[in-house]
Amino acid sequence: MKLLKIIMAGTLALGIASSTLSADAAKGQKLFSKLLKEPCGMTGAKFAAKHSQEEWKALKASGKFEEELIKICPNVKAGDVKESLQEHIIDFSIEFANDSGNVPSC
């Protein structure tokens, strides 16, 4: 019985940890609407369509997403969007990139 409780607690902890560590495109869409839609002056669809999925992935891998964000949205300043939130916005951008065939509702 004690072993079963340990296994259940471990499974629960692993599930919670894995869900908080992975970025979420839906959360990125909400964050874009809340933080960037007004300063960028464009919808999330237009923002995400600025690059292809591979280009967004390359920006993510190189760590130059914030630099590109400022280039696309000059009203956004460095540090306006925390790094922990950028991961979600990057995943949103990849999900709705110009070659994805997906169109966001924001």
Side-chain angles (χ1 to χ4, degrees):
M1 190 67 167
K2 190 175 182 177
L3 180 62
L4 183 61
K5 287 181 182 178
I6 292 171
I7 291 172
M8 295 292 285
T11 303
L12 180 63
L14 184 62
I16 291 171
S18 65
S19 65
T20 57
L21 292 177
S22 62
D24 182 9
K27 187 173 181 178
Q29 184 173 350
K30 290 178 186 173
L31 288 169
F32 182 87
S33 293
K34 182 178 177 182
L35 302 174
L36 297 173
K37 190 172 185 175
E38 188 176 320
C40 289
M42 66 179 76
T43 64
K46 283 187 176 180
F47 177 83
K50 294 288 182 185
H51 292 287
S52 68
Q53 288 181 318
E54 289 304 317
E55 291 169 340
W56 284 119
K57 287 176 185 175
L59 287 167
K60 180 180 183 178
S62 67
K64 294 184 177 180
F65 174 74
E66 187 174 48
E67 184 179 313
E68 184 65 18
L69 174 64
I70 293 169
K71 189 186 307 179
I72 295 170
C73 308
N75 292 332
V76 176
K77 306 292 180 228
D80 281 356
V81 180
K82 295 178 186 175
E83 279 190 41
S84 60
L85 302 179
Q86 289 179 17
E87 292 291 319
H88 299 292
I89 297 170
I90 293 169
D91 275 12
F92 160 73
S93 301
I94 293 169
E95 179 79 20
F96 297 102
N98 59 17
D99 61 346
S100 70
N102 300 325
V103 179
S105 61
C106 64

